[in-house]
Amino acid sequence: QDYTVEGFSTVVYEGNGASSHYIGGTGFTPDFTWIKKRSNTADHRIFDSVRGVTKSLKSNATQAEGTESQALTAFNTDGFTLGTDDYTNGNGSTFVAWNWDMGGTTASNTSGSITSSVRANTTYGQSIVSYTGTGSSTNTDTVGHGLSQKPDLYILKNRTAANSWLVRTDVIDGSSDFLLLDGTAAKSDSGVNYADSSVFSLGASAGDNGSGNAHIAYCFHSV
């Protein structure tokens, strides 16, 4: 079963525990897939084509990126393929997968003070951004997001270290706010200048700008 709009789709499926379980019906080749087991308590799993299909992050946890060779093993023309991992393909368990079309091509972006690798779909206002932090304490580092206008929302994670997911947005009250994707705290005002049509700003925390650490950001704006 699936629900598809332009650039995004939701697919529900049942796992079979097999080493090559194809899930179709996404409506496009996904670049970003977020999977959650529905029938049991389990971590969320996030995969994208910029980091590579075997690289997993957990949206409900602070831990660094892990390599899972039997979770999501391939992005396909109208879906994705799973391995034997119980969290994504447990036999008889039910799952939901949210999928995004992020444009299909990864390119170097030098718009910011930090060079990034970006896969962007400017038609649908969504992109994946990979970059390495500098550890700067001045709140002046910027990263190119590859979109044609300012993101309304961007979600950042330090891939190398155990830090919370940062969610930044200005749609709540017009000011620059942040929340923690893996936490329950209310929103707080952000001391980081938000974004413009080519870059977003980084703070001085290890969560978005850890020195020498790999980071990932998912950016979105209204269309």
Side-chain angles (χ1 to χ4, degrees):
Q1 297 180 5
D2 65 275
Y3 170 74
T4 304
V5 295
E6 289 188 322
F8 172 79
S9 67
T10 301
V11 176
V12 294
Y13 65 93
E14 182 174 314
N16 64 8
S19 60
S20 183
H21 185 26
Y22 172 71
I23 306 297
T26 58
F28 47 80
T29 301
D31 301 296
F32 174 23
T33 293
W34 182 332
I35 297 174
K36 177 67 176 73
K37 182 184 283 193
R38 301 164 57 203
S39 51
N40 301 91
T41 301
D43 293 317
H44 295 245
R45 300 296 177 95
I46 289 178
F47 307 89
D48 67 69
S49 54
V50 174
R51 292 182 298 120
V53 291
T54 63
K55 303 299 183 182
S56 172
L57 287 166
K58 300 176 181 179
S59 66
N60 58 297
T62 62
Q63 67 194 69
E65 177 182 272
T67 299
E68 299 186 36
S69 61
Q70 288 298 314
L72 192 148
T73 58
F75 289 115
N76 304 113
T77 300
D78 186 37
F80 52 89
T81 302
L82 303 170
T84 58
D85 182 77
D86 184 69
Y87 284 89
T88 55
N89 190 27
N91 188 28
S93 296
T94 56
F95 297 85
V96 60
W98 300 285
N99 308 278
W100 287 263
D101 176 357
M102 294 294 196
T105 302
T106 301
S108 178
N109 184 299
T110 58
S111 297
S113 62
I114 297 174
T115 298
S116 56
S117 294
V118 177
R119 186 168 291 216
N121 192 323
T122 56
T123 300
Y124 303 140
Q126 50 203 34
S127 68
I128 305 170
V129 182
S130 175
Y131 65 93
T132 300
T134 69
S136 172
S137 60
T138 61
N139 289 348
T140 57
D141 282 338
T142 57
V143 177
H145 51 65
L147 300 175
S148 58
Q149 67 186 67
K150 176 183 70 66
D152 298 315
L153 171 77
Y154 60 104
I155 304 169
L156 306 101
K157 179 69 177 77
N158 187 323
R159 299 165 54 191
T160 308
N163 294 105
S164 284
W165 292 76
L166 304 179
V167 181
R168 294 205 172 104
T169 182
D170 64 355
V171 302
I172 298 173
D173 56 16
S175 66
S176 182
D177 297 314
F178 81 92
L179 302 97
L180 301 180
L181 188 64
D182 54 277
T184 60
K187 67 96 174 173
S188 300
D189 290 332
S190 174
V192 178
N193 291 328
Y194 179 54
D196 62 23
S197 59
S198 60
V199 302
F200 59 82
S201 298
L202 302 180
S205 75
D208 67 345
N209 200 13
S211 179
N213 292 169
H215 296 262
I216 198 75
Y218 304 109
C219 305
F220 303 89
H221 68 69
S222 299
V223 293

